[in-house]
Amino acid sequence: MNAPAKTEDLAATVPAGVYAEKVTSVQHYTDRLFRFRMTRPDGFRFRSGEFAMIGLMVDGKPVYRAYSIASPAWDEELEFFSIKVPDGPLTSHLQQIKQGDQVLMRKKPTGTLVLDALTPGKRLYMFSTGTGIAPFASLIRDPETYEKFDEVILTHTCREVSELKYGFDLVEEIAQDELLSEVVGGKLRHYATVTREAFPYQGRITDLISNGKMFADLGVDPFDPAIDRAMICGSTGMLKETKLLLEQAGLTEGANNKPGEFVIERAFVD
């Protein structure tokens, strides 16, 4: 396996029209998951919930993949949450980055998991599996989310308990942030479930919606198109099933050019 280009080599090989940013921190959660932060280019603007194409120089060529920006739009740095794929064209290299290394990023962010794509409502569900929590890591740290919704429910489903830690860290970081905690108040609720280990909440999120357990656990009524809005990011199967459940409840899918009651990120799956 060839290693990605080192920092000193990268400056001479950065493609035109691409940012080359420095990694500021790396945190490995499990042998499958890690997060990293890097410098934010001057003038780079994005809406919380959007994704960017990030990459590395591998064998002299840039390799990119779509990654949700996990940091909120106001953050001075950019954060990403990634899975580790042993033979992945990018992630096999990306998982080896260290503080001080450089990462490539194309200049135009995009995506459907943005507040503008939803019609006004009172309660916002964020349904995620695995690394699909990344865009919601951005949105739950954005004050605009709490200006638009009275209640925000972040669901995160993983196979093992250890894979939930990033979500718990996010919630704790918000609680410890003096300004953000004041904005969020009691509006954010975190509903984490596991499918392969013992845990207070167990099961696939779609099953917990279908059998009513999620609503009972949270003490809320079933989906109501007049009140509830939703965003979905995760595995292909989860996207399809959750979309169907929302449509059966009377919610309609939205997009940037036509806001609706729920939106799905279709650019990638975990």
Side-chain angles (χ1 to χ4, degrees), residues 10-255:
L10 192 57
T13 57
V14 173
V18 174
Y19 295 119
E21 298 302 313
K22 186 173 291 187
V23 174
T24 58
S25 66
V26 182
Q27 180 178 359
H28 293 272
Y29 281 95
T30 70
D31 59 359
R32 295 182 67 247
L33 299 167
F34 71 107
R35 76 161 153 178
F36 67 95
R37 291 175 68 84
M38 68 185 197
T39 54
R40 178 173 177 168
D42 291 339
F44 179 71
R45 299 287 179 265
F46 69 96
R47 295 178 295 174
S48 294
E50 288 189 315
F51 66 86
M53 300 298 292
I54 65 171
L56 294 169
M57 296 297 294
V58 179
D59 296 333
K61 297 179 181 179
V63 177
Y64 297 98
R65 289 293 181 270
Y67 271 80
S68 289
I69 304 169
S71 46
W74 55 261
D75 202 324
E76 294 179 355
E77 293 186 335
L78 297 177
E79 179 176 314
F80 297 92
F81 184 50
S82 178
I83 194 170
K84 303 176 186 180
V85 181
D87 56 351
L90 177 62
T91 58
S92 61
H93 302 294
L94 193 65
Q95 64 185 283
Q96 299 175 35
I97 60 171
K98 296 178 175 59
Q99 185 175 345
D101 287 348
Q102 283 187 299
V103 174
L104 303 178
M105 184 174 71
R106 290 181 179 164
K107 294 192 173 184
K108 185 170 174 54
T110 189
T112 54
L113 296 181
V114 292
L115 297 172
D116 294 343
L118 293 173
T119 54
K122 294 185 177 180
R123 180 185 296 122
L124 175 60
Y125 285 96
M126 299 174 174
F127 295 110
S128 68
T129 57
T131 54
I133 193 176
F136 305 139
S138 174
L139 285 156
I140 64 171
R141 290 183 279 184
D142 191 325
E144 186 183 357
T145 303
Y146 304 96
E147 292 170 7
K148 293 193 170 185
F149 294 94
D150 297 332
E151 186 176 22
V152 177
I153 297 174
L154 170 66
T155 84
H156 189 208
T157 301
C158 294
R159 291 175 228 176
E160 300 168 0
V161 176
S162 61
E163 296 173 337
L164 295 173
K165 189 174 187 325
Y166 179 62
F168 282 104
D169 282 357
L170 290 170
V171 174
E172 179 61 24
E173 286 166 17
I174 290 172
Q176 297 300 321
D177 186 296
E178 186 176 351
L179 294 176
L180 203 51
S181 63
E182 187 173 335
V183 171
V184 175
K187 288 186 173 184
L188 176 63
R189 305 182 67 185
H190 181 206
Y191 186 69
T193 77
V194 167
T195 58
R196 294 188 182 176
E197 291 184 326
F199 196 66
Y201 300 114
Q202 288 181 263
R204 297 163 68 242
I205 191 63
T206 46
D207 290 339
L208 298 172
I209 294 170
S210 297
N211 63 25
K213 190 173 188 308
M214 181 193 76
F215 303 109
D217 288 340
L218 294 168
V220 297
D221 294 327
F223 295 136
D224 180 348
I227 294 172
D228 296 317
R229 301 293 176 263
M231 295 176 158
I232 319 168
C233 191
S235 64
T236 304
M238 177 268 208
L239 293 181
K240 292 178 180 177
E241 289 182 45
T242 309
K243 169 183 163 72
L244 181 60
L245 290 167
L246 291 168
E247 289 177 336
Q248 289 173 343
L251 282 74
T252 56
E253 185 175 355

